[in-house]
Amino acid sequence: MSIKKRSEPEKKGTVVKKPTTAKPVKPESKPQQQPTKPPQQQPTKPQQQQQPTKPQQQQPTKQQAQQQQQPIKSALKKTEILPSKTKAGPIKANNSNSNNNNNNNKSNKKTKEFTSQSISVGCYENSILGFDAKYVGGGIAEEGFEVDLQMKYGYSSHTGCVKALASTKNILVSSSTDETLKVYDLKKKVEFGQLSKHEGFVTSIEFYKNTHMFAASMDNTISVWRVSDWECLKVMSGAKGAINSISVHPSGKVALSVSKDRRLFLWDLTKGTSAHFLKFKSEGFIVQWSPSGEHYAIVFKDKLVIYNSSNFEELVSLEFKLQILAIKFLDDNTLMVGGEDKLLTFIDYKNGGKITKQLMGHENRIKGIDLLKFDGVDKTFVVTISSDGLIIVWNPTETILPVGCAETGFRLTTLSVGQISNTKSIDDSDDQDDDEDDDDEEDDDEIDSEEEEAIANQPTKKMKVNIEMENDDDDDDDDDDDEEDEEDEEDEEDEDENDDDDEEEDDE
């Protein structure tokens, strides 16, 4: 029952629709709102400030007319701005329009992806150092370097010597003698996690594109990882000794490895098994496919051999007095070699193994070689590291001198060049605004030209110009002329007064 009683007064409250009688009262309150409107109109009174400009237009002199033509641009701009302000009066309408504009701006915004280059190095001191590489073209400072290297991070990630590094898009993986395999996010510069599948430490790491990673270990096995979720898909075994190096064919279907049992294994990656193997007289330390996959190179203790992949026959065999520690294919014709001789050697292996160039820049043995490329730059740079702690960037096609350098102060062991993807927001309205600004500038130029033509067409008139000179005599003459002008003006004023007096007498 109490509920019904409460509902009844609500009905009574609804009956109080008599405020309809109060509606005629609102027009009486309108005069109260009228005094509020004048203050809204008061800010519009600055139009009175434009009134003093009218007498300037009434003046017959054309000098002032020329002066009035100068602020035409600012006046036009103000007239373009003022209507938008007056329209901003109704808050509700503008809020809806502004929301629509914001939504349109959000829809017009686009993101553009670009990549930056990151150079990561490992050292005997259990740490990883990261550098951002930027192409500066014309050179910086007094060195005239084309590539600027800036250190971005240093991380003591392991408890043992860093043995291998490999990187792909936004990802870096490191291995150490502490038998750990760690993953890092290059974009956020944080450690992502740790992988564990091998009993010994990982000796060689290689990525295939951005999808899979291969890790060769001292436990005679090779593990295959999926990058998306870091699941170990397969562990391939067959070698009877620790695996020294692994290289994946550009097609991603097969891979090569060399091990301490002096064998070369050909792995079928589609099945995850060994398809073929060869046994050499000596141990192979490094193996690498050419960019086209038609050749592969193997480094032995005292020589370098390049084979044809079609028949496994030797194409070129070169002997070196000092041990080779790093190799890298520059292209399908040139192989780069570095090692104990402290030189970066370029070999044309299709032309009988001819040495075309040797670059000298390190004071100690070269431990790593990699390629560095920038978006929009039609150049291929070469990066080398050494036990002397230097990171040197070369442009072998243009100069024999370094084009970039960074000193770490550590004994470097391994090198990897990776890419970091970044996004940049692009607003289409910005481009439209730029086009509109250009159009406005063109219109302004047209107005200027019209003003100049109008001024040029005006009849000439004699004008007095005061020129200041350094000579004292001229200054004295100018003073005398000024005094004479003042006397003439006084005489004219006296004559005007006398004429006025005469006219008054005549009127009387």
Side-chain angles (χ1 to χ4, degrees):
M1 298 299 288
S2 60
I3 297 171
K4 291 181 179 179
K5 291 180 179 179
R6 292 180 182 176
S7 61
E8 290 175 359
E10 292 176 357
K11 294 179 179 178
K12 292 179 181 180
T14 57
V15 175
V16 186
K17 292 182 179 178
K18 295 179 180 180
T20 55
T21 58
K23 288 183 179 178
V25 180
K26 290 183 179 179
E28 296 177 359
S29 61
K30 287 183 180 178
Q32 296 178 357
Q33 295 179 355
Q34 291 177 354
T36 59
K37 291 182 179 177
Q40 294 179 355
Q41 295 177 354
Q42 288 178 358
T44 60
K45 290 181 179 180
Q47 295 176 355
Q48 296 177 356
Q49 296 177 358
Q50 296 178 354
Q51 294 177 356
T53 60
K54 293 181 179 179
Q56 293 179 359
Q57 294 177 356
Q58 295 176 356
Q59 291 179 358
T61 60
K62 294 183 179 179
Q63 297 176 2
Q64 296 179 355
Q66 295 177 1
Q67 294 177 356
Q68 289 177 0
Q69 290 176 353
Q70 294 179 355
I72 289 176
K73 298 179 185 178
S74 60
L76 291 174
K77 292 180 180 179
K78 289 181 180 179
T79 55
E80 292 176 358
I81 296 172
L82 286 174
S84 62
K85 291 183 178 180
T86 55
K87 291 180 181 179
I91 298 173
K92 294 182 180 179
N94 282 330
N95 285 334
S96 61
N97 293 330
S98 61
N99 292 330
N100 294 329
N101 292 330
N102 292 330
N103 294 329
N104 293 330
N105 291 332
K106 290 180 180 179
S107 62
N108 290 331
K109 286 184 178 179
K110 298 180 181 179
T111 57
K112 181 180 179 181
E113 184 176 353
F114 65 96
T115 58
S116 59
Q117 304 299 319
S118 175
I119 300 176
S120 302
V121 294
C123 60
Y124 283 107
E125 288 77 11
N126 315 335
S127 301
I128 298 175
L129 307 177
F131 293 80
D132 280 352
K134 295 182 180 180
Y135 178 73
V136 294
I140 57 173
E142 298 179 356
E143 294 83 359
F145 289 157
E146 294 184 35
V147 180
D148 182 25
L149 301 180
Q150 295 292 333
M151 182 175 176
K152 291 301 180 181
Y153 65 88
Y155 183 52
S156 181
S157 56
H158 296 279
T159 59
C161 169
V162 179
K163 294 294 293 183
L165 288 175
S167 56
T168 185
K169 188 176 181 180
N170 299 332
I171 296 174
L172 174 70
V173 179
S174 67
S175 67
S176 171
T177 54
D178 60 5
E179 300 185 2
T180 59
L181 190 65
K182 294 187 176 182
V183 184
Y184 312 90
D185 188 338
L186 289 176
K187 192 172 185 179
K188 298 179 180 178
K189 295 180 176 58
V190 295
E191 182 178 338
F192 183 75
Q194 183 173 333
L195 305 177
S196 59
K197 200 66 180 179
H198 300 280
E199 295 180 358
F201 67 86
V202 174
T203 58
S204 178
I205 309 171
E206 184 163 337
F207 279 94
Y208 175 70
K209 296 184 177 180
N210 299 323
T211 58
H212 295 82
M213 186 192 76
F214 299 85
S217 174
M218 291 289 291
D219 60 1
N220 312 340
T221 62
I222 299 173
S223 59
V224 184
W225 302 81
R226 186 167 54 201
V227 176
S228 60
D229 55 0
W230 292 109
E231 180 182 354
C232 184
L233 302 177
K234 186 72 176 179
V235 177
M236 300 184 297
S237 60
K240 296 181 180 180
I243 298 177
N244 295 326
S245 176
I246 184 175
S247 180
V248 181
H249 191 269
S251 65
K253 296 180 180 180
V254 295
L256 291 175
S257 69
V258 291
S259 51
K260 291 186 179 296
D261 59 359
R262 298 180 296 174
R263 291 183 181 183
L264 169 70
F265 273 87
L266 176 65
W267 302 93
D268 186 354
L269 299 181
T270 59
K271 299 178 181 180
T273 58
S274 61
H276 184 70
F277 71 89
L278 293 174
K279 191 169 184 178
F280 302 110
K281 294 181 180 180
S282 60
E283 177 183 352
F285 294 96
I286 304 173
V287 62
Q288 191 172 120
W289 285 100
S290 65
S292 63
E294 297 178 355
H295 303 87
Y296 61 91
I298 299 178
V299 175
F300 298 95
K301 184 177 181 180
D302 56 352
K303 66 179 181 178
L304 168 68
V305 184
I306 300 174
Y307 298 86
N308 285 320
S309 60
S310 58
N311 52 16
F312 295 96
E313 293 182 358
E314 291 186 8
L315 178 65
V316 176
S317 179
L318 300 174
E319 294 184 357
F320 288 82
K321 296 180 180 179
L322 300 176
Q323 187 175 1
I324 298 173
L325 301 177
I327 63 172
K328 186 71 176 180
F329 281 91
L330 179 63
D331 50 38
D332 281 328
N333 297 318
T334 306
L335 176 66
M336 298 178 292
V337 178
E340 295 285 353
D341 59 358
K342 309 174 188 177
L343 299 175
L344 179 61
T345 304
F346 294 79
I347 301 173
D348 186 357
Y349 62 89
K350 289 185 178 180
N351 191 16
K354 181 180 179 181
I355 297 177
T356 59
K357 189 181 299 184
Q358 285 185 326
L359 302 179
M360 181 183 297
H362 291 286
E363 298 178 356
N364 208 328
R365 56 185 179 176
I366 295 176
K367 296 284 290 182
I369 306 172
D370 209 342
L371 301 180
L372 177 63
K373 297 180 180 181
F374 297 95
D375 293 340
V377 180
D378 190 16
K379 295 181 181 179
T380 300
F381 298 93
V382 179
V383 183
T384 59
I385 61 168
S386 171
S387 297
D388 59 7
L390 291 179
I391 303 174
I392 297 180
V393 182
W394 308 88
N395 186 1
T397 59
E398 296 182 3
T399 178
I400 61 174
L401 299 176
V403 296
C405 184
E407 185 175 357
T408 62
F410 295 95
R411 297 175 297 164
L412 304 180
T413 58
T414 181
L415 163 70
S416 179
V417 177
Q419 295 181 344
I420 303 175
S421 63
N422 299 299
T423 56
K424 182 179 180 181
S425 61
I426 300 175
D427 193 352
D428 294 340
S429 61
D430 294 339
D431 299 335
Q432 295 177 359
D433 293 338
D434 296 336
D435 296 336
E436 291 176 357
D437 293 337
D438 296 336
D439 295 336
D440 293 337
E441 292 178 357
E442 293 177 357
D443 295 337
D444 294 338
D445 295 335
E446 292 177 358
I447 293 172
D448 292 337
S449 61
E450 291 176 357
E451 291 177 359
E452 292 176 357
E453 292 177 358
I455 294 171
N457 295 327
Q458 289 179 357
T460 57
K461 184 178 180 180
K462 294 182 179 180
M463 298 177 62
K464 292 183 179 180
V465 180
N466 294 327
I467 302 174
E468 295 181 359
M469 302 294 290
E470 295 181 357
N471 294 331
D472 295 335
D473 297 336
D474 294 337
D475 294 337
D476 295 337
D477 295 336
D478 293 337
D479 294 336
D480 296 336
D481 293 337
D482 294 337
E483 291 177 357
E484 292 177 358
D485 293 336
E486 291 177 357
E487 292 176 356
D488 294 336
E489 291 178 355
E490 291 177 357
D491 295 335
E492 290 177 356
E493 291 177 356
D494 294 335
E495 291 177 358
D496 293 336
E497 290 178 357
N498 294 329
D499 293 336
D500 293 335
D501 295 335
D502 297 334
E503 290 178 354
E504 291 177 358
E505 291 176 356
D506 295 334
D507 293 336
E508 291 176 357

